[in-house]
Amino acid sequence: MSEATQTAGGVVPPAVEGIRLAKAFGGVQAVDSATFSARPGEVHALVGENGAGKSTLIKLLGGRLRPDAGEVRAAGRKVELHGADDAHALGIWTVFQELTLLPWMTVAENLLIRREPRGRLGLIDRDRMVGEADRVLTWLGIDHIDPRALIEDLSLAQRQMVEIARVIIQDPSTLLLDEPTSSLGEKEVAWLFELIQGLRADGKCIIFTSHRWNEITSIADRITIFRNGAEVGTFTEIDEDRAVTLMTGRQLEAFYPQPPARAHDRAVLEVEELAGEGLRNASLTLHASEILGVGGLAGHGHRELFFSLFGAQAHSGRIVVDGRPARIRSPRDAARLGMALVPEDRKTEGLLLPLSVRANLTLAVLPAVSSLGLIGGARERGLAQGMVDALKIRTPGLGNPVRQLSGGNQQKVLLGRWLLADSRILLLYDVTRGVDVATKHEIYELMMRLAGEGRALLYYSSDAEELAHLCHRVLVMREGRIAAELSAPGITAEDIVTAAVRESRAAD
Amino acid sequence: MPPIDTPAVPPDPTAAAGGRRPRRGKVTHFLGQNVGLVLALVMLVAAIVLYCAVYWAETQSLPGNFELTSTVNNTMPLVLAAIGQSFVVLTRGLDLSIGGTMDLANALAAVHIHDSPGSMVLWSVIVLAIGAGLGLVNGLLVGVGRLQPILATLATLSIYQGIAIKVLPQPGGSIPPVYTSVLVNPFQPYALLYVLLVALVWYAFRRSRIGVAIFAIGNDEQSARANGIDTVRARVTSFTLSGLFAGAAGLFLAATATAGDATTGNGFTLTSIVACVLGGMNLFGGRGSGIGVIAGAFVTTMIVNILFFSNIDPLYQSFYEGLFLVVAVVLSTAIGRFLRRSR
Ligand SMILES: Nc1ncnc2c1ncn2[C@@H]1O[C@H](COP(=O)(O)OP(=O)(O)O)[C@@H](O)[C@H]1O
Ligand SMILES: [Mg+2]
């Protein structure tokens, strides 16, 4: 490849380029005459809203998809990629957004798939395979992952790291990473960035997408902004506000809407001494029209609090709904009491991805729209369409499977389902995580509207900034307890973080 | 198909310093990840113990060489059919045509195999090739024609059966005694060697390129494709292997019966699936062990044997067989699920 990287003039051609690429899925023009190029020895960030076409572009460059029009170039030469193997032959390797690990195979089998060490008779030598995988994991500094473990038994972050490791060991000259950090914690992101910096120093080209601005600015040499399937521009320096404007195509003045004034002081949910796994005597009161934030360091019982309230986790303690003691043993019980949970991990909880937007929206109200056991036609469609309009759910149609929607829009479908069921107590668990800026903004506005209608919102976010701006009150959790309560106005993100940390110290 | 990549040079291992985290042992991992297999083996032991008990109650003696020999001989066709089935089950499919392929193999053997070494070898090879060919047809229908496995093989089941009836309209023909004594020796349990051979074939399959591809499809077809695996070829191969094994199963069936019958294979479509389930094969693909399936096949036969010694009215025999199998399947599934969860 060395001859190809130096042209006669001594100029280094881009490692990989897309020239006026186009790709449509049915009626959706995912990539629309997009031009993009990245150089050897640079880290190039690709940013844009969900649905902007970033993943599709990456698949075109990585050989997973073939363009309808335009061309892909590698090291200055036009190439035809008929599959990932063709890209691999050119040193282009991809970590796709939806992981491609095989869940019931071991880490070692996944790391070395199709390159397994072979022994006598050409059969795979499993012990050597495990040994080799172990060396790779150790070399990459992730030896806490056991090469004999099944992928299924790993955490999401560990799976992502295996997926990254699997590509790194191919010694890529161009590395495409599609949202590699979305399931990683801070430590793991640091691990990844160290790897990326090493590769950059070796003259490799790294292209990645992310929604986390501080990550992008901390490592990217250049940033290309994508909107509606095409590039808006490529920058070496750009501040977040301007980037957001370019991504969304409009000014986001007043990014955080004001929470509405609380009209009622009626408690709709009272929780006393809630205890269970990861929860130690948490108590709280939620009022009608209130947005009650829950914050604190990750892993301090937030998830357990939300899932216990929704009956998805065993618990003890007193729960009072609308002044009446309630027993919540299952999500059914909770739903009957008008409660709804929108969790962060929409892939595994709540949504039926292969089913249509319509079916997912009306799932909780099926009895109401059905007659004689048949699922209702026009009425169901009407309800679903109403929700799609009200929540601005971006979907090609009511009949499209939810899988085709972007993350933020999937969140909205789940929220829409509960709104159709007329839930009055909404438990929103980190719903904006991994969601693009514009959709985030829409979700904020929606929250305000729902509170304005008198609904009560319990809102956990891993982003302290959001809590500070959107909530009437914020509860800070620590070790399964409510450690502090902050009241608006005047809450800042620092207050929340400080409360979490100070309380930690005080108790030790 | 592009060439398989050359092996990557793993990064220099000496670069890593410091100690690694302790690992769980190989055996611990194996047991945790092969609950179905372990359960199948436990079930087999339980069935053997129970069999010995009812045998003792009936005859005041323990089963001996004769019982072992006839059990192994009677189970061989099912062992082969079930292993064949498991290749397809691994890809998330089912092969319903196994019974039809066995019938045809059985009929061809009864009509054509004569008492000469040449004829025996030649026709065995021909029958196996035809079995593989019928499997290939299924594979093409499913892999290239994109038909649902159940639909495609349900259709070919009737077709293969029809051909079998054409070849051998009435039960008859004959299998040379030499042939029988080579495949299923009636006096000594030599057929255990074939069981061992099947186990070895599975061992090699599990460690072969095509084995990885077939397991990968059952794990996640899209991911398999993204990993550069030729999923169409792997699927076609899985059906071809299934046909090949069904052909072998038909030969063994003919050898045990010493004559041909173009209808006795029917039941094997169902029992091969049962043996897979008892053996811990996951019907959603991607998980399971052929060793477990062999054990599952033996458990299936043992249940029949146990019922035989339990003085059950022959009229109700198949009712109880079914009942036993259902209980065994439900129990093994439930225990397997419980064990996995508590892991
Ligand atoms: N396989 C597919 N089938 C149908 N539509 C798709 C498919 N993949 C992507 N899309 C659509 O193409 C658009 C761009 O998607 P994508 O490239 O995933 O965006 P991004 O990665 O920037 O969020 C979206 O509207 C999405 O719904
Ligand atoms: Mg994407």
Side-chain angles (χ1 to χ4, degrees):
Chain A
M1 195 129 287
S2 53
E3 21 141 344
T5 51
Q6 290 284 325
T7 58
V11 189
V12 181
V16 61
E17 286 170 282
I19 314 283
R20 284 184 298 281
L21 287 172
K23 180 77 194 173
F25 298 102
V28 180
Q29 192 67 41
V31 165
D32 192 358
S33 191
T35 296
F36 173 82
S37 102
R39 300 192 274 255
E42 83 164 337
V43 177
H44 198 130
L46 193 55
V47 301
E49 291 182 58
N50 276 330
K54 306 179 295 293
S55 295
T56 307
L57 176 72
I58 290 208
K59 284 179 186 160
L60 291 170
L61 297 177
R64 242 327 243 305
L65 291 175
R66 304 212 56 199
D68 301 335
E71 64 182 65
V72 176
R73 289 188 194 160
R77 285 194 215 155
K78 180 176 180 197
V79 292
E80 293 283 339
L81 306 176
H82 297 274
D85 279 350
D86 288 356
H88 296 168
L90 295 163
I92 302 171
W93 289 80
T94 314
V95 172
F96 296 104
Q97 185 171 4
E98 56 290 333
L99 300 187
T100 57
L101 295 172
L102 301 163
W104 305 308
M105 293 201 187
T106 63
V107 169
E109 284 174 299
N110 271 279
L111 274 177
L112 299 172
I113 192 163
R114 293 174 79 222
R115 280 170 290 279
E116 302 93 346
R118 283 164 198 282
R120 272 175 306 150
L121 304 168
L123 296 181
I124 294 169
D125 184 337
R126 294 234 209 150
D127 285 332
R128 246 177 72 207
M129 181 168 72
V130 168
E132 225 163 272
D134 214 354
R135 278 205 305 280
V136 164
L137 293 169
T138 309
W139 174 68
L140 290 174
I142 46 173
D143 60 0
H144 59 288
I145 299 175
D146 189 329
R148 288 187 204 273
L150 294 185
I151 295 298
E152 180 189 39
D153 294 332
L154 301 185
S155 70
L156 269 177
Q158 289 175 331
R159 286 181 213 185
Q160 181 78 54
M161 298 206 283
V162 171
E163 185 90 49
I164 292 167
R166 168 156 92 151
V167 167
I168 300 265
I169 60 177
Q170 297 308 320
D171 192 21
S173 59
T174 299
L175 178 60
L176 307 167
L177 302 166
D178 198 358
E179 302 208 14
T181 60
S182 62
S183 57
L184 297 186
E186 245 168 79
K187 262 200 308 218
E188 289 108 13
V189 171
W191 167 81
L192 172 63
F193 281 12
E194 206 171 302
L195 277 182
I196 291 181
Q197 269 150 354
L199 291 171
R200 168 167 59 191
D202 278 353
K204 318 289 192 207
C205 166
I206 302 103
I207 298 163
F208 80 106
T209 68
S210 168
H211 285 297
R212 301 183 187 169
W213 189 255
N214 58 349
E215 280 176 13
I216 295 163
T217 47
S218 76
I219 195 158
D221 299 308
R222 290 196 295 164
I223 298 169
T224 290
I225 294 179
F226 235 63
R227 181 171 80 220
N228 291 338
E231 79 288 351
V232 177
T234 298
F235 307 85
T236 45
E237 253 340 291
I238 183 170
D239 65 39
E240 184 173 7
D241 288 347
R242 181 148 160 65
V244 167
T245 312
L246 291 174
M247 279 192 276
T248 58
R250 63 190 143 99
Q251 209 76 33
L252 281 188
E253 74 289 354
F255 186 65
Y256 293 107
Q258 276 289 320
R262 269 171 53 195
H264 314 274
D265 218 13
R266 184 167 55 83
V268 292
L269 176 68
E270 293 157 88
V271 178
E272 279 168 40
E273 316 240 300
L274 197 67
E277 205 186 315
L279 267 184
R280 291 198 288 163
N281 302 333
S283 303
L284 61 89
T285 305
L286 175 65
H287 304 92
S289 274
E290 182 177 38
I291 301 177
L292 178 57
V294 182
L297 304 175
H300 279 253
H302 311 99
R303 191 181 166 84
E304 289 80 2
L305 172 67
F306 277 67
F307 281 68
S308 295
L309 287 177
F310 196 59
Q313 183 187 314
H315 57 266
S316 65
R318 246 164 67 79
I319 299 179
V320 177
V321 176
D322 290 328
R324 251 169 291 158
R327 292 179 76 183
I328 304 177
R329 290 279 180 77
S330 69
R332 267 178 82 99
D333 292 344
R336 217 173 286 137
L337 289 163
M339 296 170 71
L341 175 73
V342 183
E344 104 268 43
D345 192 2
R346 45 184 201 276
K347 300 272 183 246
T348 53
E349 288 151 6
L351 282 175
L352 304 167
L353 292 177
L355 293 192
S356 66
V357 171
R358 177 174 77 163
N360 271 286
L361 276 171
T362 57
L363 194 68
V365 287
L366 274 186
V369 297
S370 312
S371 50
L372 300 172
L374 297 174
I375 295 173
R379 201 166 125 61
E380 190 201 359
R381 213 170 309 123
L383 282 176
Q385 188 61 53
M387 219 16 103
V388 165
D389 296 341
L391 304 190
K392 296 194 199 135
I393 298 173
R394 256 166 274 153
T395 171
L398 284 180
N400 291 59
V402 163
R403 186 189 287 125
Q404 290 178 1
L405 272 55
S406 69
N409 283 297
Q410 292 184 358
Q411 296 288 53
K412 289 194 208 163
V413 170
L414 196 49
L415 193 55
R417 176 197 298 170
W418 293 119
L419 295 181
L420 274 180
D422 204 26
S423 304
R424 290 160 306 106
I425 302 172
L426 303 175
L427 310 173
L428 307 181
Y429 185 84
D430 221 2
V431 286
T432 52
R433 180 159 192 176
V435 169
D436 68 87
V437 211
T439 310
K440 255 184 200 167
H441 191 70
E442 285 171 16
I443 292 179
Y444 300 155
E445 306 239 277
L446 187 61
M447 286 170 58
M448 300 310 144
R449 221 169 72 213
L450 296 172
E453 289 169 6
R455 294 182 219 258
L457 280 65
L458 192 66
Y459 176 58
Y460 166 72
S461 172
S462 48
D463 183 350
E465 208 58 65
E466 285 186 350
L467 292 173
H469 285 95
L470 301 173
C471 300
H472 295 106
R473 285 185 298 145
V474 175
L475 305 174
V476 181
M477 286 189 80
R478 191 188 87 79
E479 294 186 349
R481 290 196 181 85
I482 307 293
E485 179 179 331
L486 310 169
S487 288
I491 310 177
T492 66
E494 286 79 57
D495 292 344
I496 296 172
V497 176
T498 317
V501 178
R502 185 186 50 218
E503 293 296 328
S504 296
R505 293 225 190 85
D508 287 341
Chain B
M1 171 87 194
I4 305 287
D5 319 323
T6 49
V9 184
D12 180 13
T14 52
R20 326 181 272 108
R21 299 281 185 88
R23 301 267 188 246
R24 280 203 290 165
K26 192 169 160 179
V27 177
T28 320
H29 272 300
F30 183 83
L31 293 179
Q33 294 169 5
N34 291 277
V35 171
L37 167 61
V38 174
L39 219 59
L41 294 174
V42 169
M43 219 167 1
L44 179 57
V45 172
I48 292 173
V49 170
L50 191 59
Y51 174 69
C52 290
V54 291
Y55 191 93
W56 179 270
E58 202 57 25
T59 66
Q60 274 72 53
S61 64
L62 281 176
N65 196 42
F66 173 78
E67 284 75 20
L68 176 62
T69 306
S70 67
T71 303
V72 174
N73 288 348
N74 289 334
T75 312
M76 263 323 284
L78 181 56
V79 166
L80 292 165
I83 288 287
Q85 184 70 263
S86 70
F87 293 126
V88 176
V89 167
L90 277 176
T91 68
R92 252 196 123 134
L94 281 179
D95 185 350
L96 301 185
S97 73
I98 280 182
T101 307
M102 282 178 72
D103 280 336
L104 184 54
N106 189 339
L108 286 170
V111 171
H112 293 287
I113 295 186
H114 297 299
D115 198 0
S116 78
S119 156
M120 287 191 241
V121 172
L122 181 70
W123 273 98
S124 299
V125 172
I126 292 178
V127 167
L128 290 179
I130 289 177
L134 299 184
L136 179 66
V137 171
N138 289 330
L140 292 175
L141 287 175
V142 173
V144 181
R146 309 215 151 264
L147 291 183
Q148 288 282 338
I150 292 187
L151 278 184
T153 56
L154 191 59
T156 53
L157 169 65
S158 332
I159 296 172
Y160 299 166
Q161 268 173 348
I163 304 174
I165 297 279
K166 196 93 186 142
V167 172
L168 186 69
Q170 267 108 40
S174 72
I175 299 294
V178 184
Y179 195 73
T180 299
S181 70
V182 170
L183 290 192
V184 285
N185 189 298
F187 307 111
Q188 294 296 330
Y190 294 144
L192 276 175
L193 284 176
Y194 293 109
V195 177
L196 189 67
L197 187 66
V198 172
L200 285 177
V201 168
W202 175 267
Y203 180 90
F205 168 76
R206 188 77 183 81
R207 286 161 182 74
S208 67
R209 193 161 290 164
I210 188 66
V212 169
I214 286 177
F215 269 84
I217 301 186
N219 270 257
D220 184 334
E221 185 160 358
Q222 286 201 12
S223 295
R225 207 171 304 128
N227 281 302
I229 285 168
D230 185 339
T231 53
V232 172
R233 195 169 69 170
R235 200 179 288 280
V236 173
T237 310
S238 77
F239 278 97
T240 309
L241 284 172
S242 176
L244 175 69
F245 274 75
L251 288 179
F252 272 86
L253 189 60
T256 359
T258 67
D261 182 340
T263 58
T264 46
N266 281 0
F268 284 86
T269 291
L270 193 65
T271 45
S272 66
I273 299 172
V274 168
C276 281
V277 175
L278 290 180
M281 272 281 151
N282 191 304
L283 287 183
F284 293 105
R287 282 168 293 181
S289 157
I291 312 301
V293 172
I294 295 175
F298 275 97
V299 171
T300 313
T301 313
M302 297 302 283
I303 288 176
V304 177
N305 287 350
I306 291 164
L307 287 172
F308 177 79
F309 279 104
S310 309
N311 292 322
I312 282 166
D313 185 338
L315 269 179
Y316 295 116
Q317 177 100 5
S318 77
F319 169 80
Y320 282 104
E321 262 177 55
L323 196 68
F324 249 70
L325 289 178
V326 168
V327 170
V329 168
V330 169
L331 265 182
S332 74
T333 317
I335 296 174
R337 201 169 293 160
F338 173 76
L339 288 179
R340 294 213 108 240
R341 200 167 297 158
S342 59
R343 185 147 65 87

